[in-house]
Amino acid sequence: MTIRYPNGKRYVPVQQATTGSKNTNPSFSNRGKTLEDELNDTNEYYLANNIAVIHKKPVPIQVVNVRYPARSAAVITEAYFRSPSTTDYNGAWNGKYIDFEAKETKNRTSFPLQNIHEHQVEHMRKVSEQQGIAFLLVKFTVLDRYFIVPYEYFEKMWERMIAGGRKSITLTEIEEMSIEINAGFHPRLDYLGALNALNRNLN
Amino acid sequence: MTIRYPNGKRYVPVQQATTGSKNTNPSFSNRGKTLEDELNDTNEYYLANNIAVIHKKPVPIQVVNVRYPARSAAVITEAYFRSPSTTDYNGAWNGKYIDFEAKETKNRTSFPLQNIHEHQVEHMRKVSEQQGIAFLLVKFTVLDRYFIVPYEYFEKMWERMIAGGRKSITLTEIEEMSIEINAGFHPRLDYLGALNALNRNLN
């Protein structure tokens, strides 16, 4: 399946009944959560409800020294963060391969492309060639808005930058060419529901 | 797609022409390589030849203390290995989601199930339910033999153990119910070719 983007179609998730829950105001109950927390919650929901199996990959770390104390766990005493060669999230959803990178920006009017590494773009291109579903999930933290930017569209913006064009995607461009996820309560960020809505628009 | 297992069908990979290479004896040229090295080589080959995008996940590490020296990279000074909650390898192959755990054993007659964690079995079950292709890749190091054990078959052996049965899968059982990969030169372990051969047997 190839994902394309609807023109300005916005996905409105169906609100789940949350009987007995005290958290009736999603934006309040999730205040202060990072995008990673929100996605972990969402992926746990997907897993528990047999909707999808999607995990965040561990941060790649180069271990240099390890101490093995008697009768206790090995302690890593020297290690370094390595830059990831792939995206952060991947998994299986109803026979499809899902692969995405999640990024937050405090910017109000555009998403800076410097947030993405070239090898991540390369990775998403390869995934897309293997008929996987690759995308960026972008959160504008100040605006509290979330978008799925399909790789096919992101690639055009990346190539525009390579060709000497602007080093960001404007919010207006994102609004036109991406799918907005309306944050809910359960699941917090129903990005798979948004992808479904996108496919319905194409059929 | 659901993978099932052929009865004793052995996959023989087509040998690639290796013009100009001095390494004409694969078993010699790969002597001393670990299974992880062999799979890394294979996955690099798949990636470079646009066959599949499959990566090993980083080892999960819990970082406790980090030092930030002026003008140099952050140093992790205390961290611990965590046990992985998923399998080691996953990725996309021609529209399919691939997920597997790779294990070596020095045993000559059986594969001990204690090599596998219960949460990894649970993970493979979930992947299989999402129509992903889940399997174990087992290397008998002393015998220099490699097998793909499809999850659907592995599950039966796991349940036999849970029910009080033997704590291993015998080599004879594996020979009957799995696909053998004949190690080659390029790629070293053509496990996707073996999966293809398996599918041809079913059609």
Side-chain angles (χ1 to χ4, degrees):
Chain A
M1 194 190 71
T2 306
I3 285 281
R4 293 195 194 80
Y5 32 86
N7 288 320
K9 279 283 178 188
R10 184 177 295 199
Y11 170 68
V12 182
V14 178
Q15 204 66 33
Q16 303 269 335
T18 54
T19 329
S21 169
K22 287 174 189 172
N23 291 312
T24 48
N25 182 337
S27 66
F28 181 81
S29 67
N30 288 285
R31 190 176 284 173
K33 282 204 170 183
T34 63
L35 180 57
E36 182 174 338
D37 291 336
E38 293 176 296
L39 285 169
N40 284 347
D41 289 354
T42 303
N43 290 336
E44 277 177 25
Y45 176 90
Y46 287 154
L47 192 65
N49 291 278
N50 298 316
I51 294 167
V53 183
I54 297 171
H55 290 277
K56 184 176 191 296
K57 291 189 183 179
V59 177
I61 288 173
Q62 187 180 5
V63 175
V64 176
N65 268 313
V66 184
R67 197 158 48 81
Y68 298 91
R71 283 179 295 279
S72 51
V75 188
I76 298 163
T77 56
E78 185 185 355
Y80 299 89
F81 295 104
R82 287 186 297 144
S83 73
S85 54
T86 67
T87 48
D88 274 353
Y89 296 86
N90 74 354
W93 172 48
N94 197 22
K96 302 183 192 77
Y97 174 78
I98 299 289
D99 193 298
F100 65 100
E101 182 68 19
K103 290 291 181 196
E104 295 179 286
T105 180
K106 286 177 180 165
N107 211 305
R108 291 160 187 267
T109 56
S110 69
F111 175 73
L113 290 169
Q114 71 199 20
N115 276 326
I116 308 292
H117 298 291
E118 191 171 353
H119 46 254
Q120 292 180 317
V121 180
E122 174 74 4
H123 172 73
M124 286 191 282
R125 185 175 66 74
K126 294 258 183 188
V127 164
S128 192
E129 285 170 3
Q130 289 299 324
Q131 300 163 56
I133 301 177
F135 57 90
L136 285 186
L137 197 156
V138 174
K139 177 181 184 180
F140 286 86
T141 51
V142 179
L143 307 177
D144 209 22
R145 294 180 70 181
Y146 307 76
F147 295 91
I148 290 177
V149 184
Y151 172 71
E152 289 75 8
Y153 173 61
F154 171 76
E155 188 180 46
K156 292 186 179 67
M157 299 297 99
W158 186 264
E159 284 169 0
R160 178 174 71 179
M161 177 185 73
I162 302 289
R166 56 178 302 141
K167 293 182 173 57
S168 65
I169 316 178
T170 67
L171 177 59
T172 308
E173 288 171 332
I174 289 180
E175 284 173 334
E176 276 175 19
M177 306 306 272
S178 304
I179 320 154
E180 183 157 5
I181 308 168
N182 283 5
F185 176 64
H186 231 161
R188 173 64 183 149
L189 292 179
D190 188 12
Y191 60 89
L192 295 178
L195 287 173
N196 262 336
L198 171 64
N199 285 329
R200 277 199 300 274
N201 289 339
L202 295 174
N203 293 333
Chain B
M1 193 192 71
T2 306
I3 285 281
R4 293 193 194 81
Y5 32 86
N7 289 319
K9 278 284 177 187
R10 182 177 296 197
Y11 170 69
V12 183
V14 178
Q15 203 66 33
Q16 303 270 332
T18 54
T19 328
S21 168
K22 287 172 187 172
N23 290 313
T24 48
N25 183 336
S27 66
F28 181 82
S29 66
N30 288 283
R31 190 176 285 174
K33 283 205 171 184
T34 63
L35 180 56
E36 181 175 337
D37 291 336
E38 293 175 296
L39 285 168
N40 284 347
D41 289 354
T42 303
N43 290 336
E44 278 176 26
Y45 176 90
Y46 286 155
L47 192 65
N49 291 278
N50 298 315
I51 295 167
V53 183
I54 297 170
H55 289 277
K56 185 176 190 296
K57 291 189 183 180
V59 176
I61 287 172
Q62 186 180 5
V63 175
V64 176
N65 269 313
V66 184
R67 195 158 49 81
Y68 298 91
R71 283 180 294 280
S72 50
V75 188
I76 298 163
T77 56
E78 185 185 356
Y80 299 89
F81 295 104
R82 287 186 296 143
S83 74
S85 54
T86 66
T87 49
D88 274 354
Y89 295 86
N90 75 354
W93 173 47
N94 197 21
K96 303 183 194 75
Y97 174 79
I98 298 289
D99 194 299
F100 65 99
E101 182 69 20
K103 291 290 182 198
E104 295 179 285
T105 180
K106 287 178 178 164
N107 211 304
R108 291 160 186 266
T109 56
S110 68
F111 175 72
L113 290 169
Q114 71 200 20
N115 275 326
I116 308 291
H117 299 290
E118 191 172 353
H119 47 252
Q120 293 180 315
V121 180
E122 174 73 4
H123 171 74
M124 285 190 282
R125 186 176 64 75
K126 294 258 182 188
V127 164
S128 192
E129 285 170 4
Q130 290 298 326
Q131 301 162 56
I133 301 177
F135 57 90
L136 286 185
L137 197 157
V138 174
K139 176 180 184 180
F140 286 86
T141 51
V142 178
L143 307 177
D144 208 22
R145 294 181 70 182
Y146 306 77
F147 296 91
I148 291 178
V149 184
Y151 173 71
E152 289 75 9
Y153 173 61
F154 171 76
E155 188 179 46
K156 291 188 179 67
M157 299 297 98
W158 186 263
E159 283 168 2
R160 178 175 71 179
M161 177 185 71
I162 302 288
R166 57 179 301 142
K167 294 184 174 58
S168 65
I169 316 178
T170 67
L171 176 59
T172 308
E173 287 170 333
I174 288 180
E175 284 173 334
E176 276 175 19
M177 308 305 271
S178 303
I179 320 154
E180 183 157 6
I181 308 168
N182 283 5
F185 176 64
H186 231 163
R188 174 62 183 150
L189 292 180
D190 189 13
Y191 60 89
L192 295 177
L195 286 173
N196 261 337
L198 171 64
N199 286 329
R200 275 197 301 275
N201 290 338
L202 295 174
N203 293 333

